[in-house]
Amino acid sequence: MVSMKGISFAYGSKDIIRDLNLEFSPGETLMITGPNGVGKSTILRLLAGVLLPSSGSIEYGFPKSTDPRSRIAYLPDSLSFYRSMTPLEAAAFHAGIFGTEPSGLDIARKAGVDVDRRISELSLGQRVIVQLSIILSTGPDLVLIDEVLHSVDPYLRGLLFQELVRVMEERAPTMVLVNLSFSEVENLVDRVIFMGVEGIRLDESVDLLKAGARLIEADDFSSDLPVVLCREVLGRKQFVVYPFTAGQEGVEKAHPMDLTEIMTAFMEAEYNA
Amino acid sequence: MLDREFRAALSQFGSVIALLAVMPLVYLLDSSFYRTGVLLEEYLIGGYSLLWIIGAFYLAYNMFRGEEQDGAKEYLLSLPVARGKLLLLKTIPRMAVLFIAALIEGMLGTYQFSGTGMLIAFIVFSQVCGFILGVVGRRSLSARLILFTMVVFVYIINSTRPITPRFILYDILRRSSVPYLLLETSLLALILIPVYRCWDLKPLAVRESRLAKLSIGPLLILAFPVVHLFLSS
């Protein structure tokens, strides 16, 4: 169990995260999402150890003698890596540090990556695939992937998800994804954390979220249901309600919503707030 | 990682020493225009000494060049390598290259420092300052200025022999290598330990101001004998 206890973080005098408490169960796959600048990537960086919290602590649940970073695979949105190396050299270097076998770069080869070219000469999508296959080769217990999947074309993205699913089936690591493309990860993630300016606004399992969110179209809506968002589309009012309880008076038709619709509604509500 | 750093140190120092190739040209200019009577051999030896100092600064300044050019700092920090070990991995190869190069300089008959302790203290000081610069950020003008000034001060102190009544304690320390080495490295540790304990990806301005605050004391301590040296000379 990975737990972040009372974490606060500031860039100089600017507070980014205040008193954050989060727990991740072993084998859980979760997505952190929210508007830009609310600290999603900062959470990953804190977990990866590249940022140090101003206060609070992170417990990884790994044996005390091990450096937590030796059990973490971290893919930052900056794709920070030794780009002057070839993928083969980078794989050998990474494995040397972790004391594991170098990645065979199978998915990278499958994606047509020339493993003898410098990483800096590869396309963005190819770099993502090379880096992911290298970091996943160390058998991590915690996988942290920042918002990079959108930069990959659909075919390569398919390969990436195949690789992630393979790792999930083989080792069942805890996986934390920062993502804004909800439809792609809908079937992959178990839990969603939505972050707003004030901190965590929603922390729910995907199943419960989908079961509890409803879109209600009505001219007037005077129920006491918790309305996340109220908007007008083509002259008609729409209400996004969460959590919705069936059998409410005055609600004739409540449409179920998919993850993209729910998250977009939360996002819109956050911007309107 | 150690072999990578050794290769980088050798190639960087080699590129500085390669400038010795210019010395025959300087000699030719001298013999045709200025006629100072300095021999080519003396030019080469003097040039080597000068390039050794430039090499020490160059190695320190470029300690994290690979990471900065590749954009690999975040990756480096995410690796399971303790920060203390990273300090050793980065500085030991450079110190070794500089020490061997200084031994060659000694064989050529030129001595820049007033003892082996002074030499080692300078090498350690300059390279650890290079590490601190890498942690703060090579692009930081204030960090470059602060650390460069400190290394220059240490070079001046370590390569001169002031014996004055006011600095008797200081000179006693200088005569014995180990306590002197400890004095300079403790000054450095005052900056290094807090800077690199907080080493992460915070913005440059945050790291710069932390370094500036921590450097005031050590800078003053080093500046005092240097100013005295200039005044007494």
Side-chain angles (χ1 to χ4, degrees), chain A residues 69 74 78 80 82 84 94, chain B residues 67 70-71 74-75 77 200 203:
Chain A
R69 292 173 298 177
Y74 171 52
S78 61
S80 172
Y82 283 107
S84 55
H94 194 78
Chain B
E67 283 76 12
D70 279 357
E74 188 165 7
Y75 172 66
L77 284 172
D200 63 9

Side-chain angles (χ1 to χ4, degrees), chain A residues 98-112:
Chain A
F98 281 76
T100 54
E101 281 294 308
S103 163
L105 296 165
D106 294 337
I107 52 162
R109 287 175 205 270
K110 210 170 163 183

Side-chain angles (χ1 to χ4, degrees), chain B residues 12 22 63 86 107 122-123 133 148 159 186 219 230:
Chain B
Q12 286 169 5
V22 182
M63 198 170 282
L86 208 55
M107 284 191 285
F122 175 73
I123 292 176
L133 179 65
F148 178 76
S159 58
S186 340
L219 257 177
F230 275 102

Side-chain angles (χ1 to χ4, degrees), chain A residues 1-26:
Chain A
M1 171 90 76
V2 179
S3 59
M4 303 177 87
K5 290 179 183 168
I7 296 285
S8 295
F9 179 81
Y11 281 122
S13 57
K14 190 184 173 196
D15 282 340
I16 304 292
I17 290 172
R18 261 171 287 166
D19 196 28
L20 178 82
N21 292 289
L22 266 180
E23 286 196 341
F24 311 125
S25 307

Side-chain angles (χ1 to χ4, degrees), chain A residues 202-243:
Chain A
L202 174 79
D203 183 354
E204 190 62 273
S205 81
V206 173
D207 292 340
L208 285 176
L209 188 62
K210 282 159 80 175
R214 287 292 183 273
L215 177 73
I216 296 165
E217 285 185 314
D219 292 329
D220 192 23
F221 183 69
S222 55
S223 169
D224 54 358
L225 284 172
V227 175
V228 173
L229 175 73
C230 169
R231 64 186 167 204
E232 203 169 308
V233 179
L234 299 173
R236 199 163 163 76
K237 278 192 175 169
Q238 288 188 339
F239 300 89
V240 176
V241 175
Y242 177 81

Side-chain angles (χ1 to χ4, degrees), chain A:
Chain A
M1 171 90 76
V2 179
S3 59
M4 303 177 87
K5 290 179 183 168
I7 296 285
S8 295
F9 179 81
Y11 281 122
S13 57
K14 190 184 173 196
D15 282 340
I16 304 292
I17 290 172
R18 261 171 287 166
D19 196 28
L20 178 82
N21 292 289
L22 266 180
E23 286 196 341
F24 311 125
S25 307
E28 186 178 38
T29 301
L30 65 98
M31 174 175 79
I32 301 177
T33 191
N36 292 330
V38 293
K40 305 183 296 290
S41 298
T42 304
I43 291 180
L44 285 205
R45 285 181 170 147
L46 288 162
L47 284 166
V50 299
L51 282 178
L52 304 172
S54 320
S55 62
S57 64
I58 303 175
E59 284 167 20
Y60 294 91
F62 303 147
K64 278 191 178 162
S65 56
T66 55
D67 184 330
R69 292 173 298 177
S70 66
R71 314 278 284 262
I72 296 173
Y74 171 52
L75 184 61
D77 59 350
S78 61
L79 291 179
S80 172
F81 221 55
Y82 283 107
R83 289 176 201 153
S84 55
M85 291 183 182
T86 66
L88 280 177
E89 288 167 349
F93 176 83
H94 194 78
I97 300 277
F98 281 76
T100 54
E101 281 294 308
S103 163
L105 296 165
D106 294 337
I107 52 162
R109 287 175 205 270
K110 210 170 163 183
V113 175
D114 180 354
V115 292
D116 293 315
R117 272 175 75 185
R118 284 170 185 251
I119 293 173
S120 58
E121 293 166 7
L122 302 177
S123 71
L124 192 60
Q126 288 179 326
R127 270 163 45 196
V128 172
I129 226 158
V130 163
Q131 209 161 324
L132 194 76
S133 53
I134 290 175
I135 61 164
L136 291 179
S137 68
T138 58
D141 292 317
L142 178 61
V143 178
L144 309 169
I145 300 178
D146 207 344
E147 216 176 322
V148 289
L149 302 177
H150 62 272
S151 55
V152 181
D153 70 48
Y155 172 68
L156 292 184
R157 217 177 305 153
L159 286 178
L160 281 175
F161 282 122
Q162 273 177 33
E163 183 67 3
L164 286 177
V165 169
R166 186 189 65 76
V167 171
M168 283 159 77
E169 283 171 355
E170 265 180 22
R171 287 190 59 88
T174 305
M175 205 175 282
V176 185
L177 311 169
V178 166
N179 210 329
L180 294 173
S181 308
F182 314 114
S183 58
E184 287 164 342
V185 293
E186 187 163 353
N187 297 320
L188 202 69
V189 296
D190 308 313
R191 182 178 150 201
V192 172
I193 292 172
F194 183 89
M195 293 194 61
V197 182
E198 300 295 321
I200 295 175
R201 286 217 42 212
L202 174 79
D203 183 354
E204 190 62 273
S205 81
V206 173
D207 292 340
L208 285 176
L209 188 62
K210 282 159 80 175
R214 287 292 183 273
L215 177 73
I216 296 165
E217 285 185 314
D219 292 329
D220 192 23
F221 183 69
S222 55
S223 169
D224 54 358
L225 284 172
V227 175
V228 173
L229 175 73
C230 169
R231 64 186 167 204
E232 203 169 308
V233 179
L234 299 173
R236 199 163 163 76
K237 278 192 175 169
Q238 288 188 339
F239 300 89
V240 176
V241 175
Y242 177 81
F244 175 77
T245 326
Q248 285 284 323
E249 251 180 71
V251 178
E252 290 170 8
K253 204 167 183 187
H255 306 279
M257 300 169 77
D258 63 24
L259 190 61
T260 305
E261 290 170 326
I262 302 167
M263 287 297 104
T264 309
F266 269 92
M267 198 83 81
E268 197 177 334
E270 185 66 26
Y271 275 111
N272 291 345

